[in-house]
Amino acid sequence: MSDSVTMDKIVSLCKRRGFIFQSSEIYGGLGSCWDYGPVGVELKRNVKNAWWRSMVESRGDSVGLDCSIMMHPTVWRASGHVEGFSDPLVECKVCHMRWRADQLDKPACPSCGGELTEPRNFNLMFKTFMGPVEEDAAVVYLRPETAQGIFVNFENVVTTTRKRLPLGIAQIGKSFRNEITPGNFTFRTREFEQMEMEFFVKPGTDEEWYRYWAGERFKWYLDLGIRAENLRMREHEKSELAHYAKACADVEYLFPIGWSELEGIANRADFDLTQHAKWSGKDLSYFDSQTNERFIPYVIEPSAGADRSVLAFLVDAYREEDVEGTTRVVLKLHPSLAPVKVAILPLSRNEKLTPLAKEIHERLSRNFVTEYDDTQSIGRRYRRQDEIGTPLCVTVDFESLEDNQVTIRDRDSLAQIRLPVARLEEALKAKLAGESFDAGSLWAGARA
Ligand code: GAP
């Protein structure tokens, strides 16, 4: 990780440029809740779209799902969450701060050194009431993971799609956990978005598929530009495994807070379908017509966090560079993740330049996510585009009116070239697809 990046710098950039704001800020904020601003929502959508493309659209063996957040309360008994989804909570008898007992180095309050209470198990699920009466019979939970919606729909999906195993079912959506120690910006929050796939396979092939998914998911982050030295895979010890898991590995990222989990890949075996079959009384086995066998499928689950991924992409892209004696802050985001792909910047807000600049913007916005900006000095506008990670800027100047050429500026190398307006789309597409900025043939005829 770059030495210069800290969580404070990321938080400050996010607020300054409109990636992420504190929730309800004008009322003093709400702990661990965050709102995505205009460029943040684009970045997050791009991350989720990249995941969906890779997990659903580009595969023939998976489909998508979008389940409701509130589910039948028995789901959470069957899944083990009512019984076991809890953290050991201790409270300081002096300052009343609360801590997770399993995260403390010594049995004293990390804040004031005071004596702690005995640990008690604190369930992380948010409870609410459905309907007008607040009584136990009306209790429902906000889902703490999207996975259970997939398990309880397994039969619906198999029946309606007529798909055979192996079959992946993917879902992106909000989950809620009443975390005892949320924090580190969007790393751990009480409301967050998950990107989960349950991949149903024939028992006996599960270990192979587990290794396959661990490899695929690791590669996904690298393909989207995460630097290899900041990413590692960590296999869980047997003692660390969740109650449902036969094996689990975490993709870890070197956040400013140290190596931390980005995504988990688990072999859940037949735990979930067996449990839901037992509690619902429905047969959730699968009949393989090719081998005439009936069995409960095993499940491999790659489970990622959308917010945590966004944070990792932001941290990894963040650079401070010395340019002619001043510091340039730039987000070197992968072009497919960048909130804005091309900014159109007339040299100044001049009535002679505006018509051509607007015409170019209108044309480019049909093919690219663009931004038109003619406020402030050109230097300040470049700085803003660098800080939101815009890969390319197109500048229209007075010469453009004479020769019908414009300047393209590359975010990463700061190289600038001029080329005819007529070839802009072709050039921008090639560049966003990763072509080197000074690639010969495309730019032939362009003036440097
Ligand atoms: N269905 C399995 C499951 O939910 P998990 O390891 O508890 O597994 C998966 O969560 C991912 O969801 C994590 O790797 C993380 O990216 C994200 N996640 C979990 N809790 C989170 C929280 N409180 N805030 C932000 N992201 C969280």
Side-chain angles (χ1 to χ4, degrees):
M1 192 175 54
S2 139
D3 294 338
S4 57
V5 61
T6 62
M7 205 64 109
D8 283 348
K9 286 183 184 176
I10 295 292
V11 175
S12 151
L13 171 71
C14 283
K15 176 160 168 59
R16 186 165 76 243
R17 293 304 187 188
F19 280 98
I20 301 173
F21 308 120
Q22 197 179 10
S23 162
S24 325
E25 193 183 307
I26 61 168
Y27 289 102
L30 179 66
S32 102
C33 293
W34 302 94
D35 297 341
Y36 287 79
V39 286
V41 71
E42 293 295 336
L43 172 60
K44 194 176 182 189
R45 270 160 42 102
N46 292 341
V47 168
K48 290 188 286 184
N49 287 345
W51 187 88
W52 196 260
R53 246 191 327 277
S54 135
M55 302 299 272
V56 182
E57 289 167 359
S58 69
R59 302 182 65 91
D61 58 1
S62 66
V63 294
L65 205 62
D66 184 10
C67 305
S68 80
I69 286 170
M70 289 180 288
M71 301 177 68
H72 194 289
T74 309
V75 168
W76 307 110
R77 299 198 173 279
S79 68
H81 283 83
V82 170
E83 190 66 28
F85 193 55
S86 54
D87 282 337
L89 171 76
V90 288
E91 187 174 325
C92 174
K93 290 181 179 173
V94 182
C95 72
H96 300 289
M97 291 272 280
R98 287 172 175 177
W99 308 95
R100 259 177 71 174
D102 57 331
Q103 287 181 340
L104 298 180
D105 295 330
K106 39 184 197 250
C109 174
S111 178
C112 74
E115 194 189 336
L116 300 170
T117 58
E118 283 300 308
R120 69 183 168 87
N121 279 338
F122 173 75
N123 195 293
L124 302 184
M125 283 197 294
F126 278 98
K127 261 186 202 171
T128 187
F129 301 97
M130 188 170 260
V133 283
E134 295 197 4
E135 59 180 37
D136 283 353
V139 166
V140 289
Y141 301 96
L142 303 188
R143 67 180 175 198
E145 61 173 15
T146 63
Q148 297 305 322
I150 298 177
F151 296 125
V152 301
N153 276 295
F154 171 68
E155 212 206 344
N156 281 336
V157 173
V158 170
T159 316
T160 54
T161 62
R162 308 173 67 80
K163 292 246 181 212
R164 317 299 310 162
L165 297 197
L167 171 64
I169 307 180
Q171 171 162 224
I172 298 178
K174 290 259 180 170
S175 293
F176 302 81
R177 295 181 191 178
N178 202 0
E179 300 278 3
I180 295 169
T181 47
N184 293 312
F185 197 27
T186 53
F187 179 82
R188 191 181 310 284
T189 53
R190 294 187 171 118
E191 172 179 343
F192 54 96
E193 237 172 322
Q194 289 188 307
M195 308 185 289
E196 298 200 293
M197 144 93 79
E198 307 303 322
F199 198 76
F200 298 86
V201 303
K202 186 176 177 182
T205 65
D206 52 304
E207 286 178 18
E208 200 182 315
W209 280 112
Y210 170 67
R211 281 191 298 277
Y212 166 84
W213 277 113
E216 283 295 293
R217 294 304 307 147
F218 194 82
K219 195 169 157 292
W220 185 78
Y221 294 99
L222 295 178
D223 289 347
L224 287 172
I226 295 279
R227 284 169 282 175
E229 65 267 30
N230 295 335
L231 205 63
R232 73 179 187 192
M233 203 70 167
R234 193 180 68 81
E235 192 79 31
H236 282 208
E237 303 287 333
K238 283 272 174 272
S239 58
E240 277 180 89
L241 291 177
H243 61 279
Y244 52 76
K246 179 176 161 187
C248 187
D250 286 346
V251 179
E252 292 190 335
Y253 178 73
L254 186 53
F255 286 96
I257 51 171
W259 286 104
S260 311
E261 176 186 337
L262 193 50
E263 163 162 0
I265 296 99
N267 182 345
R268 299 180 74 121
D270 59 359
F271 176 82
D272 304 275
L273 289 182
T274 304
Q275 284 294 103
H276 288 302
K278 192 165 110 193
W279 283 77
S280 68
K282 299 275 187 299
D283 178 8
L284 298 180
S285 64
Y286 170 84
F287 181 69
D288 186 337
S289 54
Q290 267 151 4
T291 59
N292 273 334
E293 286 172 288
R294 182 169 283 285
F295 53 82
I296 301 276
Y298 271 32
V299 173
I300 309 303
E301 174 193 67
S303 172
D307 309 87
R308 218 174 260 188
S309 300
V310 166
L311 185 59
F313 286 120
L314 282 169
V315 167
D316 212 73
Y318 184 93
R319 307 284 201 293
E320 287 174 7
E321 294 177 349
D322 182 56
V323 180
E324 292 164 1
T326 57
T327 303
R328 172 174 93 118
V329 172
V330 53
L331 282 187
K332 295 195 170 172
L333 288 169
H334 189 282
S336 67
L337 298 184
V340 176
K341 313 299 179 199
V342 184
I344 294 93
L345 313 174
L347 193 62
S348 63
R349 188 185 285 171
N350 179 292
E351 60 186 28
K352 291 208 175 88
L353 293 179
T354 306
L356 178 62
K358 287 244 155 117
E359 184 196 314
I360 291 173
H361 174 240
E362 204 272 318
R363 237 179 65 194
L364 294 182
S365 61
R366 289 183 219 149
N367 288 309
F368 305 95
V369 180
T370 56
E371 196 168 278
Y372 183 90
D373 187 5
D374 62 0
T375 60
Q376 302 180 310
S377 72
I378 188 78
R380 284 184 152 210
R381 282 179 280 150
Y382 278 146
R383 216 167 310 148
R384 172 180 145 74
Q385 296 303 331
D386 285 344
E387 290 198 357
I388 65 171
T390 305
L392 300 169
C393 292
V394 173
T395 312
V396 181
D397 58 21
F398 289 100
E399 250 188 292
S400 309
L401 303 175
E402 308 292 322
D403 61 6
N404 219 23
Q405 298 205 22
V406 288
T407 304
I408 306 183
R409 170 191 183 266
D410 177 51
R411 176 195 70 195
D412 295 349
S413 64
L414 291 178
Q416 301 199 6
I417 56 158
R418 273 183 87 76
L419 85 167
V421 171
R423 296 180 57 195
L424 255 181
E425 275 96 336
E426 169 199 11
L428 295 171
K429 259 186 205 145
K431 176 63 188 130
L432 289 171
E435 186 178 278
S436 153
F437 203 70
D438 54 7
S441 60
L442 181 63
W443 313 102
R447 274 196 296 134

